[in-house]
Amino acid sequence: MDKAEIRRVALSARDAIPPATRSAAANTIAERPFPFPLAPGNVVSGFMPLKTEINPLPLLRKLASAGATLALPAICGRGQPLRMRAYTFGDRLIAGVWNIREPAADAPEVFPDI
């Protein structure tokens, strides 16, 4: 199998997982102890889920309530490095490149610890 076929098969398998099962998995991940010590103010990077990707939002909410500063990627374009921008639940998100939700350009750039 070539890379495109492997990707198609993997995405098909992921897409076949029932939404309730995906939601339960996301909550299970959030309920587990975080594997690193987390000091208040540590910057933790995450992502906004797209389609049937695992939803990291329950975990990100838990980390934010423990004092973490959250960071989400802002895509600057093909071949360009990601910029990590600060994010707090309730902040405005925009549709970035490829319609991925990301913090607006006025959100401060941050450098993740984790």
Side-chain angles (χ1 to χ4, degrees), residues 2-75:
D2 67 0
K3 182 179 176 181
E5 179 66 8
I6 292 169
R7 182 176 180 79
R8 188 194 65 71
V9 168
L11 288 174
S12 179
R14 185 182 79 189
D15 292 348
I17 298 170
T21 302
R22 287 196 306 268
S23 179
N27 289 326
T28 297
I29 290 168
E31 291 166 3
R32 295 183 62 143
F34 198 63
F36 302 100
L38 188 64
N42 276 153
V43 179
V44 179
S45 67
F47 64 93
M48 294 304 289
L50 196 63
K51 300 179 184 174
T52 57
E53 289 177 337
I54 189 76
N55 184 350
L57 297 178
L59 174 60
L60 293 177
R61 284 186 190 284
K62 175 183 174 182
L63 296 174
S65 70
T69 298
L70 302 179
L72 296 177
I75 301 169

Side-chain angles (χ1 to χ4, degrees), residues 43 70-72 74 76 81-86 103-112:
V43 179
L70 302 179
L72 296 177
C76 300
L82 294 175
R83 287 210 171 148
M84 301 305 291
R85 299 199 179 277
D106 60 349
E109 186 173 6
V110 292
F111 299 90

